[in-house]
Amino acid sequence: MSIKSIITGTGSYLPEKILTNADLEKMVDTTDEWIVQRSGIQQRHIASPDQTTGDMAINAGRMAVQSAGIDPSHIDGVIVATTTPDNTFPSVAVKVQAALGIPPGLAFDIQAVCTGFVYALSVADNFIKAGQAKRILVIGAEKMSSIVNWQDRTTCVLFADGAGAVILESHDEPTPGVAGRGIHSTHLYANGHHRDILMTSGGPSSTGKAGHILMEGKEVFKYAVNYMADIVDETLAYHGITSADIDWLVPHQANIRIIESTAKKLDMPMERVIVTIDHHGNTSAASIPLALDEGVRAGKIKRGDLLLFEALGGGLTWGSALLRF
Ligand code: UT7
């Protein structure tokens, strides 16, 4: 027997408004063909001006609680990964806690940009393994549209809004190794030397404003392809397994070409990769839990499947998680 953290519920939320590539053609000097060819994105969801990251996180969180079939009073922690919080403080997590009727317990936000959900999952997993929490609501939620420069065609066609959530629960797993359920390992990295190739132009203690996304796309692309290849190798080697053991790759959705490159490196057919980039765009920390929930609700991802999550984002940060669902 060993204590494992298992995902017992998933949820997600996407704002009603859909922004298509045709809409963007009217806003900046771009084409549907360029966006689809270079990124794989066809449309994305954009929050309304009065809708916050917290609002989306609450909706996704509520759905995850329902899907786990638990009462909010049994949750003892909330961790939200976000780069676009409602306020500089307090955290989005405490807003979710209050809105869902979750009793006092740990609640805080994590900032690791597009790798945020993998970081949050890892932190929650460690709280559970240490015996400091039994049930944690882990959310990735972003209103990236609020930090996009809508005149900058190099970034505004990529980013989008949404939220995804999971309930992570302590579980006494009798089966040893990766055959058992739960999170088997997480692998987290950051390299601050690359912090200025993907950043915002401001922040509370510098400009006093959130700022806009600045990205050297080609540079980030290069690191994404290499770091993702390395981290999936590292994760498989850590467990002595091969990609044939993985049922589903659930990657961060930044660019279809990065996803295809990782799948190729793993020698995994695209049929075993959850792809949402075409209709979600890049929702940063929300992209993996959104893809997970979509995969589960579509009946693709089933209980007992071995899943590999991987992501890269500003920092640069990157990471992976291997878990049996
Ligand atoms: O989630 C966080 C991590 N983020 C990522 O992983 C993103 C990584 N980067 C990328 O996904 C890709 O680099 C992009 C999709 C951002 C860009 O694709 P690219 O193939 O690297 O294009 P590029 O930046 O080299 O731009 C090629 C050309 C340029 O024109 P010139 O200099 O060749 O004349 C750009 O000015 O495309 C131009 N361009 C556009 N044209 C039409 C840039 N943006 C657009 C646009 N529409 N929206």
Side-chain angles (χ1 to χ4, degrees):
M1 290 279 193
S2 65
I3 297 288
K4 290 279 185 189
S5 318
I6 58 167
I7 293 178
T8 55
T10 65
S12 61
Y13 175 80
L14 288 162
E16 229 171 90
K17 184 183 167 189
I18 290 174
L19 189 71
T20 64
N21 291 351
D23 296 329
L24 282 160
E25 283 177 350
K26 293 179 205 132
M27 296 161 63
V28 286
D29 180 16
T30 192
T31 60
D32 171 57
E33 194 192 3
W34 191 96
I35 302 170
V36 171
Q37 267 181 13
R38 304 290 177 127
S39 72
I41 302 169
Q42 292 173 16
Q43 62 173 53
R44 70 288 286 142
H45 291 254
I46 300 292
S48 60
D50 60 347
Q51 196 171 31
T52 67
T53 294
D55 298 333
M56 294 186 277
I58 289 164
N59 286 329
R62 187 178 289 118
M63 198 197 265
V65 171
Q66 281 164 359
S67 126
I70 56 167
D71 190 272
S73 64
H74 296 138
I75 297 172
D76 48 13
V78 183
I79 303 179
V80 177
T82 188
T83 303
T84 48
D86 303 17
N87 298 84
T88 302
F89 78 87
S91 64
V92 173
V94 297
K95 193 170 181 177
V96 172
Q97 185 200 42
L100 296 187
I102 296 168
L106 66 91
F108 59 92
D109 291 356
I110 280 187
Q111 216 291 53
V113 208
C114 299
T115 320
F117 183 75
V118 177
Y119 267 69
L121 201 66
S122 178
V123 170
D125 177 41
N126 282 310
F127 271 117
I128 288 172
K129 282 196 193 128
Q132 278 186 271
K134 288 262 181 240
R135 258 187 221 104
I136 303 182
L137 173 57
V138 186
I139 302 177
E142 300 280 17
K143 186 175 178 178
M144 296 305 278
S145 63
S146 66
I147 55 167
V148 155
N149 172 357
W150 288 99
Q151 269 91 54
D152 176 9
R153 69 173 182 170
T154 68
T155 51
C156 78
V157 302
L158 305 172
F159 293 96
D161 304 334
V166 301
I167 297 286
L168 209 58
E169 250 182 272
S170 176
H171 165 78
D172 235 343
E173 177 56 51
T175 311
V178 297
R181 278 186 77 191
I183 296 180
H184 294 299
S185 67
T186 55
H187 306 255
L188 304 181
Y189 289 95
N191 185 343
H193 291 293
H194 304 313
R195 66 189 180 280
D196 27 348
I197 60 172
L198 180 50
M199 62 186 292
T200 61
S201 56
S205 69
S206 53
T207 60
K209 291 185 180 130
H212 290 132
I213 300 171
L214 304 171
M215 178 166 75
E216 289 177 38
K218 249 194 183 4
E219 277 295 288
V220 178
F221 187 94
K222 197 177 72 189
Y223 285 113
V225 166
N226 289 328
Y227 286 160
M228 290 306 93
D230 289 349
I231 204 148
V232 294
D233 273 354
E234 174 186 324
T235 311
L236 297 182
Y238 183 80
H239 296 283
I241 60 173
T242 70
S243 61
D245 297 304
I246 307 289
D247 294 298
W248 290 100
L249 176 66
V250 188
H252 169 49
Q253 312 279 323
N255 188 317
I256 190 67
R257 291 182 291 140
I258 299 172
I259 296 172
E260 284 170 351
S261 154
T262 311
K264 194 167 169 212
K265 167 80 188 166
L266 278 169
D267 202 17
M268 271 183 88
M270 286 304 286
E271 289 71 39
R272 279 164 48 212
V273 182
I274 302 291
V275 175
T276 57
I277 179 90
D278 54 331
H279 54 290
H280 288 177
N282 183 346
T283 58
S284 184
S287 95
I288 290 179
L290 266 168
L292 174 69
D293 187 54
E294 189 173 291
V296 170
R297 281 169 206 276
K300 291 179 174 175
I301 298 174
K302 298 190 177 66
R303 284 270 162 243
D305 282 351
L306 193 62
L307 311 182
L308 177 57
F309 297 169
E310 45 89 352
L312 175 134
L316 292 178
T317 54
W318 66 104
S320 68
L322 184 90
L323 62 120
R324 193 167 292 282
F325 187 62

